[in-house]
Structure formats: C-alpha cells, structure tokens
Amino acid sequence: MRRIGMAIVRTALGAVVVSSMAACVVQPARPVEVVRVAPPPPPPPMQPDPREAAAHRFDQVGGRVNELSHRIDAHVDQGYYPPPVGHDLHHRLDVIWQEARDMASQHGGGLSGEEHRTLNQELDGVAHAIR
C-alpha cells in the first residue's frame, strides 16, 4: 500500500510539475500592435523666384534682339538687303528693345509673362521679315 501511496504522490507531483511547466511555456499570444508612421510628404517643388523669372524673360528678349541684329548685319553684308532695308529692320528692333526696357522698368527690371509673349510676337514678325 505504501507503494500505491508513493505512486499516487509521484503522479500528483508529476501532474503539478507538468501543469506548471505548461503554464510557463504555453501562454496565449498577445497581438502585437504595429504602428506604421507614414513618411513625410516630399517637399514642394522649388519655384523660381518671381524676380529671377522676370529678369530671365527680359534677358531672353535681349538675346533674341541681339541674334536678330546679327542676322540683319550678315544679310546686308552678303548683299541680300540694301543698307536702307537693313537700317529699317534695325530700327524695328530698336523700337522693340526700347519697349522691353520700358516694360522692365515698371516691374523692377523684369518682364511679366504677358509682356514676354507680346514682345516675342513682335520679334517673330521681324524674324519673318529677315528671312
């Protein structure tokens, strides 16, 4: 009987040990909260400084006036136009360039987009006459 009692005690102790180990090993899994942080938005595209853009438009008109002036000189030198015709074309360019300077003086040294378009249309007319 002593053996049976010892067996019962061992079985009971074994059950206690197994259940305590099971409690340590098997725990319910807690859901892990994953917090995702959105990346910061990209910076806005760099806008050119309005004054720089206006000055750039003025410089473009000046470059076209110079280029057309050189073309007129080359055509006169090559005999395509007589000098009086070249003079008249230069005068048209001078008037356009004076308009550009007057417009730019009203805007701190630059041209608005509308003024730029208007001057380019006038320069297109001169370029067409040079061809």
Side-chain angles (χ1 to χ4, degrees):
M1 179 91 190
R2 221 168 164 208
R3 268 185 164 185
I4 294 179
M6 288 290 264
I8 292 176
V9 171
R10 282 186 197 161
T11 305
L13 282 174
V16 169
V17 168
V18 168
S19 66
S20 67
M21 285 177 57
C24 291
V25 173
V26 181
Q27 290 195 5
R30 283 190 258 157
V32 176
E33 264 186 59
V34 177
V35 178
R36 295 182 190 234
V37 178
M46 293 294 294
Q47 296 293 329
D49 179 29
R51 290 180 187 175
E52 288 180 19
H56 182 68
R57 288 190 286 265
F58 180 73
D59 292 340
Q60 284 180 329
V61 169
R64 278 198 74 190
V65 167
N66 286 335
E67 185 259 330
L68 290 173
S69 179
H70 289 298
R71 282 179 49 197
I72 293 169
D73 291 340
H75 281 76
V76 169
D77 290 344
Q78 294 170 358
Y80 294 126
Y81 308 135
V85 172
H87 180 271
D88 291 343
L89 291 171
H90 273 295
H91 179 71
R92 283 177 68 183
L93 283 180
D94 291 341
V95 169
I96 293 170
W97 183 233
Q98 183 61 47
E99 288 176 5
R101 287 194 310 261
D102 291 344
M103 291 174 181
S105 70
Q106 296 173 3
H107 298 289
L111 298 173
S112 70
E114 184 60 34
E115 292 168 337
H116 187 240
R117 275 188 289 283
T118 301
L119 291 169
N120 272 326
Q121 288 172 352
E122 292 181 30
L123 290 170
D124 290 343
V126 174
H128 185 68
I130 292 173
R131 294 177 196 190

